[in-house]
Amino acid sequence: MPIRQLSETMINQIAAGEVIERPASVVKELVENALDAGASRVEIVTAGGGLNLIRVTDDGSGIPEKELALAIARHCTSKLSDDIHDIRSLGFRGEALPSIGSVARLSIRSRTASGDSAAEIAIDGGRVLPVKPAAANRGTTVEVRDLFFATPARLKFMKGERAESSATSDVVKRIAIAFPAVRFTLAGPDRSTLELPATDDTPEGRLARVAQVMGKDFPDNAIAIDAAREGVHLAGHVSIPSYTRANALQQYAYVNGRPVRDKLIAGAIRGAFADVLPRDRHAVTVLFLSLDPSTVDVNVHPAKADVRFRDPGLVRGLIVGAIREALAGAGIRAATTGAAGMMAAFRPGAAPYSHAGPANGHRSYEAAYHASGSGGFDPLRSAQRPLDMGYAEPRPRSNGFAENEQAAFDTGPLASADARAGVAEPTEALLGMVLGAARAQVHENYIVAQTRDSLVIVDQHAAHERLVYEALKNALHARAVPSQMLLLPEIVDLPEEDAERLAMHSDTLAKFGLGLERFGPGAVAVRETPSMLGETNVQQLVRDLADEIADNDTVETLKERLDRIAATMACHGSVRSGRLLKAEEMNALLRQMEATPGSGTCNHGRPTYIELKLADIERLFGRR
């Protein structure tokens, strides 16, 4: 087949394959155009998941009638100066409108502030119709019907109406967080209406917009971030370690106001929360990066969701350092949702607060305390066995009561066998502390403490595990890690560029106990390994480090391995479940928790304590 010039319609349809992946992509491009036009109100209407109809209306500056034909021409834009490295708008490529028009039925109706009337232009599957007069208020309305009717093959790859509607909602929410002063409305017969009233562009207003999108619980469980380094500024909020999600969908990142999904930022967030979250849980974050546009490339992909930083190590280091510093400075906090879960569990007929138990509907006494540590809790040591855990076999009833229940009525209330008796009355100073004063130890594992306005329950094993881990980690990183000399150096063959990267980081690796040097153009010789690792797969370790340096220009892999060993040592060296503590020991543990960063969760990410406000307790008893 001879070489020939493709038609304009074919060129636009090829471009649409990258720019317009699904209805949510159309909404993203049109809403970004509205925001670039200075809109203070954006209304979106969809039908059929966006495949039948997408209508975006704004009150922005509008498009002059004489420029409507240019607006739908390929690579025509008003947002880009002569410098491709100085991009300060959301859109700049001039591809979205012609791409949409090549695969759908597109109409644009617009009126400027100085215009006497509006004008409208339409494209039908790539065929441009003439401009005609129209009636409209100031601003622009873009209507897209029958998306992908001109490329039926693309329709086969679309998901169901509900999935497409959900993707559109996510796009609108992500954009709305970055523009709190703009009112957004998303409606249509295929969805429930989403309304995000305008706030103001202040830290308080931005947090209010975040609460509109992510729910009212997030501000109560968030920590503010504000840090800068070498011209890069980071602001926003991250959740406390005990407030998490099962996936990373509620991690929002913005670069110069642009919503992005960047693997470097996502990796930095994971690294910052690495030792305070369980492996299957994710932090909730809203982070805004501001930096010189010339130091970031937003022209990586036509969809503009990917970015590349000139100095990725600087950006990653700023994010990890700022989050860890914020977590350390926030002190000890429990998630408000923990108390809410307890409240729900205490209500009659509520589902169990913990994981489901055996099929008979009861939880065994051993299972109830299995998560407390390998020391466990021996039910035979306790004179009191909770009646609702099904530990004992059912016994004959007397006068309508089981034997244990009857004994309770005959002899008065049972006292916990391991509750500390004779604890001195707490002083006002202790009651004013975050975790208050220890009042009792129940079931040889849980410390019950009292503050001025709440009840605090602490898991002694989980709490002490975190304290020991932090002490070990601080000692580990305060000096060079001890290393062990290999009898024969281990030669690791690598691509030449990987060997060069490892050699450049050899000084840092030596601080962690890994001694290596170049061994020819495509290999490194490992002479020392960290003593803590014992016998390890040196080949795999070095290759993992090379991969991470190539991606992020860091050596976090080795540090994380050493931290995991410290976590294991802390688990085995902490106070076990089933150990009786004196009042002084319990209070000392509470004070150490208050002084230790991250002590709200254990090394495995489980909460170390739960706080129940007095007002909640009174509500349970109908006093409020």
Side-chain angles (χ1 to χ4, degrees):
M1 182 180 292
I3 298 175
R4 62 187 179 88
Q5 176 72 45
L6 295 177
S7 66
E8 190 67 22
T9 299
M10 182 66 72
I11 292 172
N12 288 334
Q13 287 180 345
I14 292 173
E18 293 183 313
V19 180
I20 310 302
E21 299 176 355
R22 60 193 306 185
S25 305
V26 176
V27 173
K28 172 183 177 293
E29 297 291 344
L30 298 182
V31 171
E32 287 181 349
N33 284 345
L35 295 170
D36 284 338
S40 61
R41 174 180 53 83
V42 179
E43 298 176 357
I44 306 107
V45 177
T46 66
L51 294 171
N52 297 339
L53 169 69
I54 296 173
R55 183 189 302 123
V56 177
T57 303
D58 67 68
D59 60 350
S61 58
I63 305 173
E65 180 178 350
K66 63 181 181 180
E67 295 182 6
L68 280 176
L70 278 176
I72 59 172
R74 187 170 171 80
H75 298 315
C76 293
T77 180
S78 62
K79 306 169 187 178
L80 190 62
S81 64
D82 294 332
D83 186 2
I84 188 64
H85 302 294
D86 188 25
I87 297 174
R88 301 180 183 273
S89 57
L90 296 175
F92 59 90
R93 296 175 64 96
E95 288 186 317
L97 292 178
S99 297
I100 296 170
S102 68
V103 297
R105 295 183 171 91
L106 170 71
S107 67
I108 305 174
R109 186 168 61 253
S110 188
R111 178 179 178 179
T112 62
S114 59
D116 296 330
S117 62
E120 181 177 359
I121 192 170
I123 313 177
D124 191 345
R127 184 170 60 91
V128 180
L129 304 179
V131 178
K132 62 181 181 180
N137 295 324
R138 175 181 177 269
T140 303
T141 298
V142 182
E143 191 171 282
V144 180
R145 292 186 177 273
D146 302 328
L147 185 62
F148 299 128
F149 89 95
T151 53
R154 177 58 68 90
L155 283 173
K156 299 177 182 179
F157 294 92
M158 293 299 105
K159 298 181 180 179
E161 180 178 305
R162 180 173 297 180
E164 297 300 339
S165 297
S166 176
T168 299
S169 299
D170 181 63
V171 163
V172 173
K173 290 176 181 178
R174 284 185 179 275
I175 296 176
I177 287 177
F179 295 87
V182 179
R183 179 179 183 271
F184 291 86
T185 304
L186 176 60
D190 57 346
R191 67 176 64 251
S192 56
T193 300
L194 171 67
E195 292 190 12
L196 302 174
T199 58
D200 53 77
D201 200 6
T202 63
E204 294 76 16
R206 287 192 288 271
L207 188 57
R209 169 56 60 85
V210 170
Q212 293 174 1
V213 171
M214 303 174 68
K216 62 181 181 180
D217 285 336
F218 179 71
D220 295 333
N221 296 281
I223 304 169
I225 301 290
D226 191 357
R229 185 186 299 173
E230 298 181 27
V232 182
H233 181 251
L234 177 68
H237 290 81
V238 299
S239 62
I240 59 178
S242 53
Y243 182 86
T244 60
R245 289 288 184 269
N247 55 48
L249 293 179
Q250 290 207 14
Q251 291 182 356
Y252 298 90
Y254 302 85
V255 176
N256 290 341
R258 180 188 305 280
V260 298
R261 294 181 181 271
D262 185 75
K263 66 175 185 178
L264 182 143
I265 297 176
I269 294 172
R270 282 197 305 272
F273 284 92
D275 59 356
V276 294
L277 295 185
R279 290 187 178 274
D280 58 344
R281 304 297 293 181
H282 300 267
V284 182
T285 62
V286 180
L287 297 176
F288 298 90
L289 276 167
S290 302
L291 64 166
D292 188 336
S294 64
T295 62
V296 57
D297 184 6
V298 299
N299 193 27
V300 177
H301 188 275
K304 305 185 293 293
D306 298 325
V307 295
R308 294 292 182 271
F309 298 100
R310 180 180 296 176
D311 190 346
L314 169 63
V315 174
R316 176 180 165 76
L318 174 62
I319 294 173
V320 173
I323 293 177
R324 288 181 176 174
E325 183 178 352
L327 293 175
I332 184 169
R333 288 172 58 183
T336 59
T337 52
M342 288 183 64
M343 291 283 292
F346 283 143
R347 294 190 180 97
Y353 182 60
S354 301
H355 297 292
N360 63 6
H362 297 290
R363 296 183 65 214
S364 70
Y365 206 74
E366 295 92 340
Y369 295 95
H370 178 70
S372 298
S374 58
F377 181 81
D378 183 1
L380 300 178
R381 289 201 305 255
S382 177
Q384 181 186 7
R385 299 174 183 175
L387 302 174
D388 60 348
M389 288 190 177
Y391 174 75
E393 293 295 327
R395 298 176 180 176
R397 289 183 172 268
S398 172
N399 298 328
F401 297 105
E403 182 177 337
N404 283 354
E405 292 170 311
Q406 184 66 41
F409 277 86
D410 293 341
T411 62
L414 293 171
S416 177
D418 53 310
R420 297 290 85 200
V423 176
E425 281 298 313
T427 64
E428 189 65 22
L430 283 180
L431 293 177
M433 305 296 284
V434 175
L435 297 181
R439 303 295 283 159
Q441 181 192 31
V442 295
H443 298 311
E444 297 177 321
N445 186 58
Y446 299 102
I447 299 171
V448 179
Q450 172 189 351
T451 70
R452 290 195 183 102
D453 62 351
S454 65
L455 175 73
V456 178
I457 304 174
V458 177
D459 183 334
Q460 70 184 37
H461 171 69
H464 197 246
E465 184 179 5
R466 166 60 69 174
L467 300 180
V468 175
Y469 171 57
E470 290 296 330
L472 282 173
K473 193 169 61 170
N474 291 337
L476 182 66
H477 301 307
R479 60 183 184 274
V481 176
S483 61
Q484 58 186 2
M485 182 78 70
L486 298 181
L487 184 61
L488 294 175
E490 183 96 21
I491 308 302
V492 184
D493 293 321
L494 295 164
E496 187 173 350
E497 56 272 18
D498 283 345
E500 179 65 27
R501 294 189 190 102
L502 285 168
M504 292 175 60
H505 287 77
S506 60
D507 291 342
T508 303
L509 293 171
K511 295 179 181 178
F512 290 109
L514 184 67
L516 56 79
E517 59 187 29
R518 289 294 295 270
F519 191 79
V524 295
V526 179
R527 301 186 181 278
E528 297 177 328
T529 60
S531 300
M532 291 177 63
L533 293 181
E535 293 186 11
T536 187
N537 188 335
V538 176
Q539 299 273 343
Q540 189 61 49
L541 173 62
V542 172
R543 289 192 173 93
D544 288 347
L545 286 169
D547 291 341
E548 182 173 355
I549 293 172
D551 283 343
N552 303 315
D553 196 32
T554 67
V555 291
E556 288 293 311
T557 297
L558 183 55
K559 178 178 178 295
E560 289 172 2
R561 290 196 182 191
L562 297 176
D563 285 348
R564 283 199 294 270
I565 294 172
T568 302
M569 294 169 62
C571 185
H572 291 282
S574 57
V575 172
R576 309 307 296 166
S577 302
R579 174 179 167 183
L580 293 175
L581 298 180
K582 298 178 181 179
E584 295 79 5
E585 293 175 312
M586 291 188 285
N587 277 311
L589 181 63
L590 299 181
R591 302 292 80 80
Q592 283 183 280
M593 289 177 64
E594 293 166 347
T596 303
S599 59
T601 59
C602 74
N603 308 345
H604 313 294
R606 295 191 297 264
T608 58
Y609 77 99
I610 294 175
E611 182 178 17
L612 196 60
K613 293 295 184 182
L614 182 59
D616 294 332
I617 299 174
E618 292 176 339
R619 196 174 295 116
L620 283 172
F621 287 98
R623 292 177 176 269
R624 290 198 171 201

